Amino acid sequence: MLLRFLIALVLSLVYLAAPVWADHSAGKDAYYRGDYATAFRELTPLAESGDVFSEYILGLMYVKGEGGPQDFKQAEYWFFLAAEQGHAQAQDNLGVMYANGLGVPIDFKEAVRWYRLAAEQGAARAQNNLGLMYANGLGVPIDFKEAVRWYRLAAEKGEAKAQFNLGVMYATGQGVPQDFNEAMQWYQLAALQGDAHAQHNLGLMYAKGEGVPQDFKEAVRWYRLAAEQGEARDQGNLGLMYAKGEGISQDYVLAHMWFNLAAVQGEKIAADLRDSLAKKMTPAQIAEAQKLASEWKPRDK
């Protein structure tokens, strides 16, 4: 059976913040309209003269490959200059680069140092990243209470990943007393922002009746939101709900479609369920399900 509870903390460290602009009209306008050659030309002399915003934006352009080849070493160079001047987003992105070995050797202690500098300035995604480091013992000893502290600061600012991670801590009782009701509240906040991991966990809690009365219709609703983003686990779970007629009318064609989509992403259980279900279906039903799967496209959150 599928229905796996996602309790591993999602270490989604790679994050590139949106640019923070000062009075750099020519470079800013060029950047927004996608004229990266002009943006690069306008911003480079400002960055070379020590302008912190231009340094940061050049770092973004290099890391994204905007206006030229992607170059993590150059990105690290410009982020470092901006970070040294206290630019919180540059500090956070520099932490990302050290945590992932982008343009620099992996160095979790250095990642923690930069995350902390940004987190102490109130940068929500840096606070979440610092929480992840404490939760996973990367660059610092494992400390769930400290992880919870940083997650909470970010979650209260509306950072979806931190809301999800804080929900995980309550669901598993790490750093806080186990409390499914509290976990549910944080998952809901993240899920409503489109976080597929939170949607997955909400679906499971409704399916199992953890923290809420068992409600298969609600489980289906949350599984669908995650499945439509391409989450293989939830495509399989949604297929299971259709196959069993739990929370929704039984429909073998749609069950087969969702199982198939999950199987294509490597979900072996979904593949087995699809093949088992096919024995109960007519050739016409199977053909329809395959057609639906081939035409399916994920939606943006």
Side-chain angles (χ1 to χ4, degrees):
M1 181 171 283
L2 298 172
L3 303 176
R4 288 171 295 173
F5 189 66
L6 186 65
I7 60 174
L9 301 174
V10 177
L11 194 61
S12 53
L13 293 171
V14 178
Y15 131 70
L16 299 170
V20 180
W21 299 106
D23 185 18
H24 305 88
S25 297
K28 176 184 73 172
D29 292 345
Y31 189 87
Y32 274 138
R33 66 174 181 266
D35 183 357
Y36 300 124
T38 299
F40 189 85
R41 185 176 66 249
E42 293 289 334
L43 296 172
T44 296
L46 292 171
E48 289 174 341
S49 68
D51 181 83
V52 65
F53 297 106
S54 298
E55 292 167 347
Y56 170 64
I57 295 158
L58 281 186
L60 286 180
M61 292 179 71
Y62 274 114
V63 84
K64 295 178 180 180
E66 294 172 332
Q70 188 177 56
D71 189 329
F72 290 129
K73 287 187 177 180
Q74 279 294 310
E76 187 273 337
Y77 172 77
W78 291 111
F79 282 149
F80 177 81
L81 292 178
E84 283 283 278
Q85 294 193 63
H87 193 285
Q89 285 76 28
Q91 291 169 341
D92 185 33
N93 284 351
L94 198 54
V96 168
M97 300 192 83
Y98 275 105
N100 290 274
L102 302 175
V104 291
I106 289 177
D107 187 331
F108 293 132
K109 287 186 178 180
E110 193 68 2
V112 166
R113 182 170 80 88
W114 289 111
Y115 286 151
R116 192 182 305 280
L117 288 170
E120 288 174 348
Q121 292 193 64
R125 279 175 279 197
Q127 290 170 338
N128 178 61
N129 282 343
L130 187 54
L132 285 165
M133 303 303 271
Y134 276 107
N136 290 276
L138 300 174
V140 288
I142 288 179
D143 188 331
F144 293 134
K145 288 186 178 180
E146 192 69 2
V148 165
R149 182 170 81 88
W150 289 109
Y151 288 154
R152 192 181 303 280
L153 287 170
E156 288 174 350
K157 293 185 177 75
E159 179 65 27
K161 287 184 173 63
Q163 291 168 342
F164 166 74
N165 286 333
L166 188 54
V168 169
M169 302 304 270
Y170 275 107
T172 57
Q174 293 179 315
V176 288
Q178 189 175 51
D179 187 331
F180 288 122
N181 289 327
E182 191 75 10
M184 173 70 70
Q185 291 177 34
W186 288 111
Y187 287 153
Q188 284 181 326
L189 289 172
L192 289 171
Q193 293 193 65
D195 187 280
H197 297 295
Q199 291 165 350
H200 170 82
N201 280 8
L202 273 179
L204 289 178
M205 293 183 81
Y206 276 110
K208 295 179 177 181
E210 290 181 338
V212 288
Q214 189 176 54
D215 188 331
F216 290 131
K217 286 186 178 180
E218 275 297 290
V220 166
R221 181 167 82 93
W222 292 112
Y223 286 153
R224 188 184 303 282
L225 287 171
E228 288 176 347
Q229 292 189 61
E231 284 293 313
R233 289 182 309 269
D234 298 291
Q235 290 173 340
N237 285 338
L238 188 55
L240 197 60
M241 304 302 269
Y242 272 113
K244 297 169 73 173
E246 290 183 334
I248 200 163
S249 298
Q250 189 177 58
D251 189 322
Y252 285 173
V253 170
L254 290 176
H256 190 288
M257 181 199 81
W258 287 113
F259 284 147
N260 203 18
L261 290 170
V264 167
Q265 295 194 65
E267 288 285 325
K268 187 178 185 307
I269 296 174
D272 292 341
L273 289 170
R274 175 201 61 197
D275 296 343
S276 178
L277 184 64
K279 296 174 183 177
K280 303 176 184 179
M281 298 169 65
T282 67
Q285 287 177 317
I286 295 170
E288 183 184 355
Q290 291 173 336
K291 181 175 181 291
L292 289 172
S294 69
E295 293 173 348
W296 181 86
K297 291 182 180 179
R299 66 165 179 81
D300 295 331
K301 68 179 182 180

